[in-house]
């Protein structure tokens, strides 16, 4: 399964266009524009599974840096600042990584 099986390609493209400039990425805005914030819990778990590149059950800081590229190969890499802010927004238990439940809470909040 791919992200375009769950999210509209045109919504993904619009979300990526919105954050093309370095330091312009806002997770909340990206989730809204891409349509992720409207998805069911089971769909968000599947999105998480796709984004968890190493299938560790967590999205670590190294994976977050390439978050946009998981949606489109040619997308930019998140800046260090964006990556750290993104991680801080979702990492409620302070373990330095985002679990599936933390991801779902972040997307749906």
């Amino acid at each position: 399964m791919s992200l375009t099986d769950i999210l509209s390609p045109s919504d993904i493209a619009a979300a990526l266009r919105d954050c093309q400039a370095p330091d312009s990425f806002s997770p909340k805005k990206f989730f809204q524009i891409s349509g992720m914030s409207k998805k069911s819990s089971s769909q968000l778990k599947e999105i998480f599974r796709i984004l968890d590149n190493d299938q560790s059950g967590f999205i670590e800081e190294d994976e977050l840096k390439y978050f946009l590229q998981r949606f489109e190969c040619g997308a930019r890499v998140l800046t260090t600042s964006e990556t750290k802010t993104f991680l801080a927004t979702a990492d409620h238990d302070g373990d330095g990584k985002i679990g599936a439940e933390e991801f779902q809470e972040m997307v749906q909040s």
Side-chain angles (χ1 to χ4, degrees), residues 13-74:
L16 290 169
R17 269 194 311 276
D18 185 70
C19 61
Q20 280 181 324
D23 293 317
S24 66
F25 177 74
S26 162
K28 190 150 201 73
K29 194 171 182 187
F30 186 88
F31 299 147
Q32 289 169 344
I33 295 171
S34 69
M36 267 202 274
S37 57
K38 297 178 189 144
K39 297 302 173 186
S40 70
S41 295
S42 63
Q43 289 171 311
L44 288 176
K45 283 180 183 162
E46 185 59 27
I47 291 170
F48 177 86
R49 191 190 64 71
I50 294 167
L51 295 174
D52 178 15
N53 202 34
D54 64 4
Q55 300 300 301
S56 66
F58 297 95
I59 299 174
E60 293 90 4
E61 191 170 340
D62 286 353
E63 290 171 309
L64 274 183
K65 186 167 46 169
Y66 301 102
F67 178 80
L68 298 177
Q69 292 183 352
R70 301 295 290 149
F71 291 86
E72 181 182 282
C73 292

